[in-house]
Amino acid sequence: MCGIVGYVGQHQALPILIKGLKRLEYRGYDSAGIAIQNGRGLQYAKSRGKISALETSINNQKLVGTTGIAHTRWATHGEPTTVNAHPHLDCNHTIALVHNGIIENYRALRSELTAKGHHFVSETDTEILAHLVEEFHGNGTDLCEAVRLALSQVKGTYGIVVASAKEPGTLVAARQGSPLVVGLGKNEFFLASDCAPIVPHTKEVTYLDDGEIVKITEEKITYKTIDDRVIDKAVEKIGFDLDAIEKDGYDHYMLKEIMEQPQTIRDSMRGRLLLEEGTARLGGLAHDLDSLLYARRILITACGTSWHAALIGEYMLEEFVKIPVEVEYASEFRYRDPILDTDSVVIAISQSGETADTLAAVREAKQKRSKVFGICNVVGSTIARETDAGVYLHAGPEIGVASTKAFTSQVTVLALITLLLGRMRSISNARGRRIAQELEELPERVAEALESADQVKAIAEKYHNCRNFLYLGRGYNFPVALEGALKLKEISYIHAEGYPAAEMKHGPIALIDENMPVVVIATQDSTYDKIISNIEEVRARNGRIIAIATKGDKEISKHAQHVIYVPQTLEMLMPVVATIPLQLLAYYIATFRGCDVDQPRNLAKSVTVE
Ligand code: G6P
């Protein structure tokens, strides 16, 4: 949700900032802007739309200078127009500021500042920050102190980077609720919403925490808190290489991320499976294992695709660990009065580790003194740092806005947790070994499922003009139906619904006619016969059936117009395999419709506002 970049160093800032913005474009792409400071003042450019539009708009301008800030926006307050694009400036164009987050008390501050004579040009909440800094800056108050004083009046969330024409070669950044990473190069520093813009330049970083502010010049970096204590920050290493954020010859990040799943699933399990003992080893949980093991209740909270993974986790944990599990949308959890006690544990699942609702749910659960575990992909993310313990996915950076590889890694990690806890409670060694062995072979099963790509593409070509899709599944495959429908909606803008197959009779069956493709996950498991009956109910109403079935199932082709085969695995792991053709189906349908797969309209990858 909005990406920000900053640079101070000896190189020209413009190309570094533009490249950095492109790596953050997944966070928002409504408008973009840049400001460069060069000792003679601030020069800036803004444009509606994507970063390519910004590049075109600055084609003829000379934005020369070695210090600068830039922004790509996902609109919250104010339409995505050029005037609402960041950077925002003060009255005299002395201060330029980029912001990710929401200033909650901006109306009151805007009235106060207007009364003092400030002139506002945009409808954004952000612009008040530039004017507020202007109020304090000058007369002996340097930029860092002015930003600190301004922020002490602000309520809300922010990651900001600020430049001032009065202090060449200086940037000030601060964080409250929206992520900011500082890259430490040789005589140069970088600021960004995540590590992707930084990794081409340096792997050494510090992560700002809430309530912290940093002043950067070419020679020096100083950290303090907003309440004015000087602090030290630990230098950390970025754990991935540049290749991980390149498209690698694929047309889209999403396709690359779908295709790399055999590897990412393997990476999620690396060093964690104990085949002989039939269990798993999860270092991140080791110290707090007892609270999970003896929990009377587990509550899993998440948003979007991560919420679908959570549902699969519920099925697994209840079946094998025998602890009652509830799954709740983080956005609901945080505003209810959830009953939590010291015997309840909470697991928060988030690819980005920054989703505002999930983070608020984590804080709410901690407030109620529950143990909170995190399952995150982004190392060093806020949820990863604020939870008591947790497990990283190690799936590598996910850049396509629609989540794919993170989902299969989330389910894999939930299976590892299930195996570990299950073996400590009730599962026998033999059963544990069977699960461990199937997990070990899961990357190969996924590779086999990916072989359906050409067939799925042909089906996508046939159905890409349909206006509605229904996805049905039962048991472990019900969340797969939800996820398949969400993928299609997100990137192709086709209306799609996921349903537990038997529930179809209670409503969606009314929608079925010869124009309605119905994707049924009908793999051979404990609910197979039942789902065949559901398929027949669709056929009787002339619906078009696209079945996801287990290799070797000859019966199914009598019931479905199209059958996409996936290899057999354990029922609990089937969601990982069965999701693959659904990801491909959404991808190919979206490309046939000419949609922007990696940056679907109105969405952002990391939703850092509620
Ligand atoms: C956004 C993304 C989804 C993602 C959801 C939760 O809506 O577009 O792909 O599933 O946020 O994100 P998280 O990072 O918490 O898993």
Side-chain angles (χ1 to χ4, degrees):
M1 203 104 314
C2 298
I4 53 186
V5 202
Y7 176 76
V8 181
Q10 294 168 341
H11 297 104
Q12 283 303 312
L14 180 66
I16 294 173
L17 294 172
I18 292 285
K19 266 195 191 142
L21 277 190
K22 285 187 176 164
R23 299 209 183 280
L24 292 180
E25 202 163 21
Y26 71 87
R27 296 177 69 89
Y29 27 83
D30 290 335
S31 63
I34 195 160
I36 305 277
Q37 181 222 51
N38 58 13
R40 291 188 306 273
L42 290 166
Q43 289 177 295
Y44 68 95
K46 304 178 184 198
S47 157
R48 193 197 160 103
K50 297 193 171 188
I51 290 145
S52 50
L54 175 68
E55 275 182 297
T56 314
S57 82
I58 50 184
N59 229 352
N60 304 321
Q61 292 180 51
K62 286 211 159 32
L63 295 185
V64 179
T66 58
T67 303
I69 60 178
H71 187 272
T72 180
R73 176 167 188 246
W74 189 87
T76 55
H77 290 74
E79 276 182 59
T81 55
T82 304
V83 81
N84 286 337
H86 300 217
H88 285 284
L89 296 118
D90 64 333
C91 298
N92 300 317
H93 290 196
T94 303
I95 292 155
L97 181 146
V98 289
H99 169 223
N100 171 26
I102 292 183
I103 305 304
E104 286 162 13
N105 58 339
Y106 85 99
R107 280 198 185 82
L109 289 169
R110 187 168 166 144
S111 314
E112 274 173 40
L113 290 163
T114 307
K116 284 184 181 165
H118 289 264
H119 176 61
F120 288 85
V121 295
S122 79
E123 299 157 332
T124 65
D125 54 334
T126 301
E127 195 184 356
I128 66 106
L129 291 175
H131 291 272
L132 204 53
V133 175
E134 181 186 15
E135 273 290 294
F136 296 103
H137 191 25
N139 295 332
T141 309
D142 73 359
L143 181 66
C144 187
E145 183 60 5
V147 170
R148 196 185 72 73
L149 292 170
L151 291 178
S152 61
Q153 301 198 0
V154 159
K155 284 201 190 88
T157 55
Y158 50 79
I160 55 166
V161 188
V162 196
S164 161
K166 292 184 192 159
E167 288 182 37
T170 302
L171 290 182
V172 173
R175 165 189 170 142
Q176 181 65 44
S178 303
L180 260 186
V181 188
V182 184
L184 313 168
K186 244 193 188 163
N187 300 325
E188 57 181 358
F189 295 100
F190 306 84
L191 283 154
S193 303
D194 71 25
C195 294
I198 297 175
V199 76
H201 308 283
T202 173
K203 283 197 153 188
E204 300 214 324
V205 290
T206 58
Y207 295 95
L208 283 199
D209 284 307
D210 281 354
E212 291 179 354
I213 186 163
V214 59
K215 176 178 175 178
I216 298 176
T217 65
E218 231 177 84
E219 302 84 39
K220 206 172 156 206
I221 182 155
T222 329
Y223 303 94
K224 55 166 71 175
T225 60
I226 289 175
D227 53 16
D228 211 15
R229 277 178 301 112
V230 174
I231 48 168
D232 274 339
K233 298 287 295 175
V235 176
E236 301 186 38
K237 274 235 162 339
I238 299 177
F240 60 85
D241 295 316
L242 189 54
D243 316 352
I245 50 172
E246 303 284 15
K247 272 196 205 145
D248 218 7
Y250 286 99
D251 288 344
H252 298 98
Y253 280 111
M254 182 179 178
L255 186 59
K256 177 195 173 211
E257 287 158 7
I258 292 174
M259 292 302 180
E260 69 190 11
Q261 286 175 105
Q263 187 56 41
T264 51
I265 292 169
R266 198 168 287 122
D267 290 343
S268 297
M269 292 192 290
R270 193 178 304 285
R272 291 172 164 175
L273 261 187
L274 302 174
L275 292 176
E276 274 306 301
E277 294 91 330
T279 187
R281 176 175 41 209
L282 293 165
L285 299 185
H287 295 298
D288 288 286
L289 203 52
D290 280 358
S291 43
L292 261 178
L293 200 56
Y294 301 114
R296 280 204 308 175
R297 181 166 155 261
I298 297 176
L299 202 145
I300 314 181
T301 189
C303 300
T305 289
S306 300
W307 186 80
H308 296 154
L311 288 178
I312 299 165
E314 174 186 13
Y315 287 34
M316 286 181 190
L317 289 163
E318 290 204 340
E319 181 176 355
F320 295 96
V321 188
K322 308 285 181 214
I323 298 178
V325 180
E326 276 168 58
V327 175
E328 181 142 355
Y329 284 116
S331 53
E332 291 298 315
F333 176 91
R334 61 181 291 197
Y335 288 116
R336 281 197 315 116
D337 230 342
I339 302 170
L340 289 175
D341 50 34
T342 44
D343 293 337
S344 307
V345 302
V346 173
I347 301 177
I349 306 181
S350 173
Q351 186 286 127
S352 61
E354 302 293 347
T355 300
D357 284 324
T358 314
L359 178 58
V362 166
R363 290 178 177 162
E364 179 63 22
K366 286 182 81 177
Q367 179 82 16
K368 293 199 154 64
R369 309 196 68 73
S370 286
K371 267 266 180 254
V372 188
F373 295 84
I375 299 178
C376 296
N377 191 35
V378 177
V379 175
S381 56
T382 312
I383 294 173
R385 284 182 296 142
E386 290 202 12
T387 40
D388 296 301
V391 185
Y392 278 122
L393 302 181
H394 296 309
E398 189 180 66
I399 294 168
V401 165
S403 182
T404 51
K405 64 176 181 173
F407 174 74
T408 49
S409 282
Q410 286 164 342
V411 178
T412 304
V413 161
L414 285 161
L416 291 173
I417 296 174
T418 302
L419 180 60
L420 171 66
L421 298 179
R423 280 286 284 129
M424 295 175 92
R425 282 171 70 106
S426 57
I427 303 179
S428 66
N429 175 280
R431 207 164 170 213
R433 281 163 63 158
R434 172 87 207 285
I435 297 172
Q437 190 55 43
E438 289 285 347
L439 271 165
E440 170 83 356
E441 289 167 19
L442 194 55
E444 285 155 49
R445 305 279 172 269
V446 169
E448 254 183 88
L450 284 167
E451 287 167 13
S452 65
D454 288 343
Q455 187 203 354
V456 176
K457 189 172 180 182
I459 296 172
E461 188 166 16
K462 192 169 164 63
Y463 290 98
H464 75 273
N465 285 323
C466 289
R467 299 181 60 183
N468 297 290
F469 266 73
L470 196 59
Y471 286 71
L472 303 177
R474 297 182 80 120
Y476 280 102
N477 286 330
F478 159 51
V480 176
L482 295 178
E483 175 60 10
L486 179 64
K487 284 292 85 88
L488 189 69
K489 265 186 283 215
E490 282 179 310
I491 59 168
S492 73
Y493 321 139
I494 294 176
H495 170 246
E497 282 191 58
Y499 252 86
E503 275 293 306
M504 179 187 62
K505 293 192 281 298
H506 302 289
I509 199 161
L511 302 171
I512 292 172
D513 61 17
E514 65 284 0
N515 299 317
M516 174 69 107
V518 182
V519 180
V520 187
I521 303 111
T523 49
Q524 269 169 341
D525 55 30
S526 56
T527 60
Y528 179 73
D529 293 339
K530 306 258 180 240
I531 208 145
I532 294 292
S533 312
N534 300 136
I535 291 180
E536 281 308 310
E537 289 156 9
V538 174
R539 281 219 321 157
R541 282 146 190 99
N542 293 325
R544 313 276 112 191
I545 300 280
I546 302 165
I548 311 298
T550 311
K551 254 185 194 160
D553 178 356
K554 298 213 171 73
E555 178 65 22
I556 191 86
S557 51
K558 296 184 197 142
H559 303 272
Q561 274 81 15
H562 308 276
V563 182
I564 302 165
Y565 286 106
V566 294
Q568 181 68 288
T569 181
L570 290 183
E571 193 165 341
M572 69 181 280
L573 301 179
M574 191 47 99
V576 174
V577 179
T579 295
I580 303 296
L582 304 190
Q583 295 171 343
L584 289 167
L585 186 65
Y587 172 77
Y588 287 122
I589 287 180
T591 50
F592 280 122
R593 290 167 71 89
C595 298
D596 189 342
V597 170
D598 282 334
Q599 290 163 2
R601 70 182 180 205
N602 305 339
L603 298 179
K605 181 137 196 81
S606 180
V607 182
T608 54
V609 294
E610 56 173 289

